[in-house]
């Protein structure tokens, strides 16, 4: 989770700063070094992150690659950086030349936004022309973050990454082909379906018709799957919310009686001469039936104690002290009309 938040923070920083970054050197310091750092490598330790890494290559002397990351005194990743505005291409790259003379199994080409990781799947000790793993740091998916995490200092394992590199490379190529076929189905792709479901001769006209049908069918399948997942997620969330609501709202043990409501109506009939009905609010509890002004606990008007055998009406003085008065029935509330009206005056200035 820490890596996720760090990547998001860096992506936000890049989005805010990139228009002010003009040079390759600024791109390195503002974007690339923070990325290396969040992978757990100390960019201030020259034994761990070596800037301007130099290796002699045949007759070429003194060529440099931007960074080399070391672990156990061996280079594990060489890094070449470009200005964030530049497109990435490995042609004529120092990465090609350095890869076969260094002991590293991995190379990274980046402009601080786009990241491309290379290894030697096609020919041992020769860097592949295509990356096995690439991403845009401003548009990360969960699966991509999991792969980035494998390059973290605490997780780095050459054999595991190498074993997984082949699957990543071919999966990427397969996804690319699928996307292309979904967008514009090829003749060969369409024929795979037409031959299985059409009994007639596959003329050019029939193939054109099937090309459109295959295109529509695949898009409908994808849309249906997306809708099914969305509906499943929404239903799951709704059920979860229902459970939370049930847990959060235990069944109330307070029961408001008809007698209490009759008593409330009498009090409303008395007080409505001076205040609007909507300002007189009932508040039932286990111990008493309270009546408040403006639904405010600091503005009690009276309390009806009707469920304990003997009946009482509780009236308040200006200091909000309650005094209970016994009543034979709720009709006796009318006897306290003056006191009830007077209680309103306590809150005139509140």
């Amino acid at each position: 989770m820490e890596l996720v938040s760090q990547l998001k923070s860096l992506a936000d920083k890049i989005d805010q700063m990139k228009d002010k970054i003009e040079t390759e050197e600024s791109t390195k310091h503002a974007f690339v070094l923070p990325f290396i750092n969040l992978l757990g490598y100390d960019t201030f330790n020259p034994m761990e992150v070596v800037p301007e890494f130099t290796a002699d290559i045949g007759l070429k002397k003194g060529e440099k690659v931007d960074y080399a990351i070391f672990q156990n005194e061996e280079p594990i990743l060489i890094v070449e950086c470009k200005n964030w505005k530049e497109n990435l291409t490995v042609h004529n790259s120092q990465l090609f030349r350095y890869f076969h003379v260094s002991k590293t199994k991995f190379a990274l080409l980046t402009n601080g936004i786009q990241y491309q990781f290379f290894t030697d799947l096609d020919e041992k000790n020769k860097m592949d022309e295509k990356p096995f793993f690439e991403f845009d740091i401003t548009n990360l998916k969960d699966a991509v973050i999991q792969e980035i995490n494998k390059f973290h200092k605490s997780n780095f394992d050459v054999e595991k990454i190498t074993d997984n590199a082949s699957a990543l490379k071919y999966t990427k190529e397969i996804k690319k082909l699928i996307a292309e076929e979904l967008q514009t189905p090829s003749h060969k792709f369409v024929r795979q379906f037409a031959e299985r479901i059409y009994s007639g001769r596959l003329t050019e006209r029939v193939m054109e018709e099937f090309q459109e049908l295959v295109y529509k069918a695949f898009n409908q399948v994808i849309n249906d799957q997306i809708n099914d997942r969305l509906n499943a997620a929404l239903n799951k969330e709704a059920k979860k919310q229902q459970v939370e609501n049930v847990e959060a709202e235990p069944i109330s043990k307070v029961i408001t009686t008809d007698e209490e409501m009759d008593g409330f109506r009498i009090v409303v009939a008395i007080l409505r001469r001076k205040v609007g009905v909507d300002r007189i609010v009932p508040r039932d509890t286990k111990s008493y039936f309270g009546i408040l002004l403006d639904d405010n606990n600091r503005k009690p008007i009276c309390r009806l104690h009707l469920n304990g055998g003997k009946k009482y009406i509780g009236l308040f003085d200006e200091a909000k002290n309650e005094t209970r008065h016994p009543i034979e029935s709720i009709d006796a509330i009318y006897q306290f009309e003056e006191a009830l009206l007077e209680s309103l005056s306590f809150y005139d200035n509140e």
Side-chain angles (χ1 to χ4, degrees):
M1 290 301 293
E2 184 179 0
L3 180 61
V4 175
S5 61
Q6 289 175 336
L7 286 168
K8 185 179 183 304
S9 178
L10 179 56
D12 291 341
K13 175 185 175 184
I14 289 171
D15 190 53
Q16 294 171 7
M17 294 180 58
K18 64 182 182 181
D19 291 333
K20 299 177 182 178
I21 302 297
E22 297 293 338
T23 65
E24 180 180 303
E25 200 64 27
S26 296
T27 299
K28 293 179 189 177
H29 288 284
F31 301 160
V32 180
L33 284 177
F35 176 77
I36 294 173
N37 191 62
L38 66 82
L39 288 181
Y41 303 102
D42 185 356
T43 53
F44 293 101
N45 182 354
M47 302 296 290
E48 193 163 279
V49 179
V50 181
E52 300 295 310
F53 180 61
T54 304
D56 291 336
I57 307 172
L59 297 176
K60 283 185 172 289
K61 305 292 183 180
E63 278 202 76
K64 299 176 181 180
V65 70
D66 293 305
Y67 300 103
I69 298 176
F70 278 69
Q71 201 171 77
N72 300 322
E73 299 184 354
E74 296 287 347
I76 59 173
L77 178 67
I78 54 176
V79 184
E80 182 177 348
C81 305
K82 302 293 183 185
N83 188 308
W84 74 269
K85 298 178 182 179
E86 290 186 39
N87 293 323
L88 299 182
T89 174
V90 294
H91 298 295
N92 300 320
S93 167
Q94 286 98 314
L95 287 178
F96 267 130
R97 297 192 289 275
Y98 273 109
F99 191 88
H100 78 279
V101 297
S102 69
K103 296 181 180 180
T104 182
K105 285 285 290 181
F106 305 106
L108 169 61
L109 178 63
T110 180
N111 59 10
I113 298 176
Q114 303 290 332
Y115 286 77
Q116 296 180 348
F117 287 82
F118 298 82
T119 188
D120 57 351
L121 294 174
D122 297 333
E123 187 177 339
K124 191 173 178 61
N125 295 326
K126 181 180 179 181
M127 194 180 88
D128 299 334
E129 290 195 8
K130 293 183 178 181
F132 70 89
F133 175 48
E134 59 184 316
F135 61 86
D136 182 328
I137 198 170
T138 62
N139 184 27
L140 293 176
K141 307 267 190 314
D142 290 343
V144 170
I145 294 174
Q146 291 177 15
E147 296 302 327
I148 295 173
N149 194 42
K150 292 175 184 176
F151 284 90
H152 193 280
K153 181 180 178 180
S154 61
N155 302 320
F156 190 87
D157 185 308
V158 173
E159 290 186 5
K160 288 183 179 179
I161 297 176
T162 303
D163 290 343
N164 191 48
S166 179
L168 282 174
K169 177 180 178 179
Y170 294 123
T171 299
K172 182 186 71 170
E173 294 299 321
I174 291 169
K175 288 169 65 177
K176 180 180 177 182
L177 288 173
I178 291 174
E180 290 174 354
E181 294 289 4
L182 290 178
Q183 185 64 36
T184 309
S186 66
H187 192 87
K188 188 175 181 180
F189 185 69
V190 172
R191 181 174 286 276
Q192 294 289 321
F193 300 95
E195 287 180 338
R196 296 184 184 186
I197 59 180
Y198 186 73
S199 58
R201 182 168 168 266
L202 295 177
T203 64
E204 191 62 31
R205 184 188 64 77
V206 172
M207 288 297 292
E208 288 179 1
E209 182 179 348
F210 264 91
Q211 185 177 37
E212 182 66 21
L213 291 173
V214 169
Y215 172 79
K216 289 182 178 179
F218 264 89
N219 280 278
Q220 286 174 7
V221 168
I222 292 172
N223 288 334
D224 288 345
Q225 289 179 342
I226 292 172
N227 288 332
D228 288 344
R229 289 188 179 185
L230 284 174
N231 289 331
L234 290 172
N235 290 335
K236 184 178 180 180
E237 186 63 28
K239 289 179 180 179
K240 179 183 176 182
Q241 191 65 43
Q242 289 174 357
V243 171
E244 290 177 349
N245 288 341
V246 169
E247 292 176 350
E249 298 178 8
I251 297 174
S252 175
K253 295 182 179 180
V254 177
I255 299 175
T256 301
T257 66
D258 291 340
E259 188 176 40
E260 287 172 332
M261 288 307 299
D262 288 340
F264 171 65
R265 294 185 186 99
I266 292 174
V267 173
V268 170
I270 294 171
L271 299 181
R272 68 183 304 171
R273 302 173 193 173
K274 286 193 173 183
V275 296
V277 174
D278 59 330
R279 296 185 63 191
I280 309 166
V281 180
R283 183 75 63 82
D284 202 0
T285 71
K286 290 182 182 180
S287 305
Y288 58 83
F289 184 92
I291 301 174
L292 308 174
L293 183 66
D294 299 327
D295 200 15
N296 189 333
N297 282 326
R298 296 192 301 273
K299 297 181 180 182
I301 295 172
C302 68
R303 290 175 179 172
L304 303 180
H305 304 269
L306 306 177
N307 300 323
K310 292 185 178 180
K311 304 181 191 303
Y312 299 90
I313 180 172
L315 299 175
F316 293 86
D317 59 23
E318 195 164 0
K320 298 185 179 62
N321 297 313
E322 180 188 7
T323 302
R324 294 189 183 185
H325 302 273
I327 54 177
E328 292 295 325
S329 68
I330 59 172
D331 291 331
I333 294 174
Y334 285 109
Q335 299 173 16
F336 300 93
E337 177 179 343
E338 187 175 338
L340 288 168
L341 290 170
E342 183 182 6
S343 68
L344 295 176
S345 65
F346 300 156
Y347 313 119
D348 285 344
N349 297 320
E350 293 187 18

